[in-house]
């Protein structure tokens, strides 16, 4: 992963979150990096698709699985602007993603240790997790979105 920083990955995920916000969605974005290149991008579309499973991470993994063998994910990094919920964390673990990087901590549904640590439920998986990368930018985006709804 030479030449590709955690900040670069999170900035790309933040672009997707901005896209979601512009569409009136909860501003959460995700990207999948492999070999120093972003292969897939996704943003929340729960409201547009009227479907609660349309989280950015699930959409991204669905697209990636249609085009790449699952074994390739062990050498990939998934960047997401908010700590994954239990549903998304389960998908990330089942897809065998090698590394997860997130921005803001999810105080309501965080499944990387904030509320629960689902990665500990799968001791045979070796998922590296880095949280709080560009946390302020990720949190500010969510705060401004929810503040505008009030």
């Amino acid at each position: 992963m030479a030449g590709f920083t955690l900040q670069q990955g999170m900035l790309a995920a933040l672009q997707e979150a901005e896209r979601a916000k512009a569409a009136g969605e909860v501003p959460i974005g995700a990207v999948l990096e492999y070999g120093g290149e972003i292969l897939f991008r996704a943003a929340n579309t729960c409201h547009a698709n009227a479907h609660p499973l349309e989280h950015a991470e699930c959409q991204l993994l669905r697209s990636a699985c249609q085009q790449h063998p699952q074994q390739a994910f062990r050498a990939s990094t998934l960047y997401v602007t908010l700590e994954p919920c239990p549903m998304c964390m389960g998908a990330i673990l089942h897809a065998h993603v090698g590394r997860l990087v997130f921005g803001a901590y999810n105080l309501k549904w965080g499944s990387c240790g904030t509320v629960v640590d689902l990665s500990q439920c799968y001791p045979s998986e070796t998922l590296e997790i880095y949280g709080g990368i560009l946390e302020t930018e990720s949190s500010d985006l969510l705060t401004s979105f929810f503040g505008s709804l009030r």
Side-chain angles (χ1 to χ4, degrees), residues 6 44-45 51 60 69 79 90 92-94 115 126 130 138 140:
L6 298 182
N44 267 15
T45 60
H51 202 293
L60 182 141
Y79 295 86
I92 291 164
L93 289 164
H94 281 283
V115 176
T126 55
Y130 300 91
S138 298
D140 288 352

Side-chain angles (χ1 to χ4, degrees), residues 93-112:
L93 289 164
H94 281 283
H96 305 292
V97 171
R99 180 161 56 168
L100 170 67
V101 179
F102 66 87
Y105 289 88
N106 187 340
L107 303 178
K108 186 175 180 181
W109 297 100
S111 296
C112 298

